[in-house]
Amino acid sequence: MQTFSTMRRNSLDKSNLRFFFLVIGLVVYIALSDIYYWLPPLFGIIYVFAQEYYERQELNAFYFIAPFMIFFEASKGLPIFSTLMFFVLSFVFVVPFVRKYFGFSKILVPFFIVYAYFGYFGLMWLLGQVFDYPFLSFSWSLLVYSACEIILVWFFMWILL
């Protein structure tokens, strides 16, 4: 009879371990997307992952997401902490509004991917107007990247989440 039945040796939380390797894979992919321009940067998919973990109240995932987003900003030449600011503003104002009226359906994932790209672009445009500094310029590649990520989500997101 084991005295401490809840204690186990050599056990790791499998969801955190899976998330760790997912982040490592995404770091390698982000580095490759800097080299090859035709690879989408997966900003929308990262946004959806962060939103899923935020809604499940698994806030330990943000120990991986926050440094990853800072790496993402540095590699893409974006203002520091701008993606984290976009995530916080979205999670506080936009996501509760959308969830209140449309529910928690997985069908909304493509909408959130498009929102991630164009919402972030809108926030950067607004900050550029406030500080009189052009942060980002509009490019049609945003549409192509969001379409590619929507297709990737329909194939792979059901497996990962």
Side-chain angles (χ1 to χ4, degrees), residues 126-145:
L126 181 68
L127 289 176
Q129 295 298 318
V130 169
F131 295 118
D132 196 29
Y133 184 79
F135 283 118
L136 288 177
S137 61
F138 181 77
S139 173
W140 291 101
S141 62
L142 290 176
L143 288 172
V144 173
Y145 289 159

Side-chain angles (χ1 to χ4, degrees), residues 38-76:
W38 48 269
L39 289 174
L42 300 182
F43 178 69
I45 291 177
I46 296 165
Y47 175 81
V48 170
F49 275 132
Q51 179 183 331
E52 289 287 328
Y53 285 109
Y54 177 78
E55 288 176 348
R56 286 192 256 163
Q57 296 298 318
E58 294 181 20
L59 301 179
N60 289 336
F62 287 95
Y63 290 122
F64 294 114
I65 291 173
F68 176 75
M69 293 313 296
I70 293 171
F71 170 75
F72 179 84
E73 293 166 350
S75 69
K76 302 298 182 196

